[in-house]
Amino acid sequence: MNTATISPVQKPWLDSYPAFTDWDMPIVPEPAHAAFDRSVAAYPERVCMEFLGRTWTYRETGTMVRAAAKGLQELGIKKGDRVALMLPNTPYYIVLFHAVLLVGGVVVNINPLYAQRELDELVKDSRPHMLVTMDLEAMYPKAHETVEQNGIEKLLLCSMTEVLPWRKAVLFNIFRRKTLARVEDNDRLVLFEDLIENDGGFTPVKITPDEDLAVLQYTGGTTGIPKAAMLTHANVSANAIQVAAWYNNSKIGEEKFLAALPFFHVFAMTVALMTGLRYGAQIIMLPRFDLKTCLRAIAHKKPTFFPAVPTIFTAINTFPKIKEYDLSSMKVCISGGAPLPVEVKKEFERISGCVVVEGYGLSETSPVATTNPTVGVNKAGSVGIPMPGTTVEIHSLEEPGRLMLTGERGEVCIRGPQVMKGYWDNPEETAKVMQGGAFRTGDVGYMDEDGYVFLVDRLKDIIIAGGYKIYPRMVEEAIYEHPAVAEVNVIGVEDKYRGQAPKAFIRLKEDETLTEDELNSFLKDKLSAIERPDSYEFRDELPKTMIGKLSKKELKAEEEVQGNTPAEESAA
Ligand code: AMP
């Protein structure tokens, strides 16, 4: 084994860098909305937004952004004010995201399908001046309730039928009436169409990219206490610059990005939206993920870039009628957010003919920290090499701050222009994760001699069985190799003798069968006796997070209710 210490000085990834990108390329901090403004000027007639068959050019989108900015200023929104966007992927998200930034406001990203309690918690924590949502029954009543209860000054309401092509709008009004909310008119209510009823002459606001906040991004943490990463304009723009520099086969002004992931999650916000707009690309929006709609969008609208999470690639791989869809338009598929099983990557590449590059990041890193190169070595199972200007260090788990050797496991720590300013209103949590300027990710991994990062697992998911560390990810990878398995999620459950033992939750592919005994003998030569799950549970569905990652949180909670999970484990 190579015993060289990985340090910021050595940067072993430099030799693996794609020829067309320099690790030390200039990354000049700029307002997060600046790239969109440039694309409006450069490609006014090109389609910017596509939504269920209706399109808006960059010129039209820019005009709406400026009008919305003036409307926000007229309502008193000023520098530093938070505006909560509780929106699905729609043109409203793109327009208001940029309008809020233009007037110096801070976007608070909120999942529109959050339960009332979750929404109230985020609103109490972020204290927005305005909440934006749609006039849909699934969103408006909760938004209205939280606005009234928390005294938020304004509720900005966006109309679903206004953004549909007219035929769809008519049908929507006839058949989907019940999905529209009954809206209560009061002093706090503002309609989007009234907000933009002006000449767009807003007053420009000076942004200091390194200091001013652009986004409050709540992390998918499992502790139940909301924690928002403060992303500055410099963080957000730097990450879009880094990602945009990664794909040399992109043609500025000609690409189409498929936004199947929700913009309120940082992965889609940066990779599908900010990078796409920087390229002057068309952003094809799906208001929610539905497999057939997504496949139809790929076949007919012909996107060239497709950022997605592994569960989406799995869903496509296992769809029985996949041969009926033409997936050949896609040039780059980007997987992130969760581990991409090697089998899933290979199968998707075989079906689509499109290369899948896996990247890695967190809300706190805006999010992209590492990615596999599209040209050069795309190592299956690795999350790739550090993005331009980004340093990855592996710190000792026992002695944080001590750097590990090549190939040795430790906590993945990140430095770079995309690392957040800290947690909103939470200096204690900020101090816990910042180690001498490096951000501690809470992920365990190692770096090989070529500078490729391999993630082993999240610190809090590691199972300790009789003193041995079991990494659920390793167990999952082995189970994925079985051809009958569609999805698997492994957690630690209480075990009388060993403290904890692994338990696997499995969803089989359609029309497949598999017994515990068959799986156990399949795993015999792949996992040690201690790593092999003690119990299996076969289910029709596995719980997922808001962006579609397989979620351990619900499984741990269920086991806890049944008395199978130690309290300290479930709280992690
Ligand atoms: P969030 O901040 O909610 O986006 O979650 C970030 C976490 O997702 C990281 O700390 C990782 O544990 C996980 N994650 C992101 N990308 C990957 C990946 N490619 N492979 C494995 N885990 C990942």
Side-chain angles (χ1 to χ4, degrees), residues 457 461-465 468-472 475 498 501-502 530-531:
D457 230 313
D461 291 335
I462 293 174
I463 301 166
I464 314 277
Y468 287 97
K469 282 195 180 105
I470 300 176
Y471 295 96
V475 183
R498 298 193 283 158
I530 200 147
E531 285 172 315

Side-chain angles (χ1 to χ4, degrees), residues 33 64-83 95-96 98-106 129-130 153-154 156 190 192 194-207:
H33 49 80
M64 273 196 283
V65 168
R66 284 191 302 278
K70 179 162 181 180
L72 290 173
Q73 283 182 330
E74 283 174 345
L75 290 172
I77 299 294
K78 51 187 189 322
K79 197 163 172 182
D81 287 353
R82 271 89 54 209
V83 176
V95 169
L96 287 164
H98 285 87
V100 170
L101 298 185
L102 263 185
V103 303
V106 182
H129 295 71
M130 177 186 277
E153 288 150 43
K154 294 290 172 202
L156 176 60
V190 182
F192 181 82
D194 295 336
L195 182 87
I196 59 166
E197 190 62 51
N198 62 60
D199 62 5
F202 70 98
T203 309
V205 173
K206 187 176 169 351
I207 302 290

Side-chain angles (χ1 to χ4, degrees), residues 218-221 265-266 335-340 358-364 367 383 441-443 455 457-458 473 549:
Y218 281 91
T219 64
H265 190 274
V266 69
S335 178
L340 176 67
E358 182 174 3
Y360 157 66
L362 305 91
S363 302
E364 290 89 337
V383 293
T441 62
D443 289 310
L455 291 184
D457 230 313
R458 294 180 114 162
R473 166 105 190 254
K549 302 189 206 185

Side-chain angles (χ1 to χ4, degrees), residues 127-249:
R127 304 181 301 281
H129 295 71
M130 177 186 277
L131 183 87
V132 186
T133 198
M134 306 282 298
D135 59 354
L136 298 174
E137 189 56 28
M139 296 163 207
Y140 168 80
K142 288 180 292 183
H144 172 74
E145 175 69 17
T146 209
V147 163
E148 295 296 323
Q149 292 304 321
N150 295 290
I152 300 175
E153 288 150 43
K154 294 290 172 202
L155 172 60
L156 176 60
L157 201 61
C158 305
S159 152
M160 188 62 183
T161 42
E162 283 291 316
V163 280
L164 292 173
W166 73 267
R167 255 179 228 282
K168 281 203 175 103
V170 171
L171 291 175
F172 190 88
N173 274 332
I174 297 172
F175 295 112
R176 308 280 297 275
R177 272 207 153 276
K178 281 204 194 115
T179 52
L180 285 177
R182 282 166 56 119
V183 176
E184 183 189 311
D185 195 7
N186 66 21
D187 286 353
R188 301 188 200 272
L189 187 73
V190 182
L191 301 181
F192 181 82
E193 53 263 39
D194 295 336
L195 182 87
I196 59 166
E197 190 62 51
N198 62 60
D199 62 5
F202 70 98
T203 309
V205 173
K206 187 176 169 351
I207 302 290
T208 311
D210 284 322
E211 285 170 22
D212 294 336
L213 298 189
V215 175
L216 286 187
Q217 187 67 35
Y218 281 91
T219 64
T222 51
T223 55
I225 302 154
K227 237 178 7 181
M230 293 189 285
L231 304 180
T232 62
H233 279 263
N235 293 150
V236 175
S237 59
N239 208 224
I241 294 169
Q242 293 165 315
V243 175
W246 206 245
Y247 302 104
N248 76 320
N249 53 352

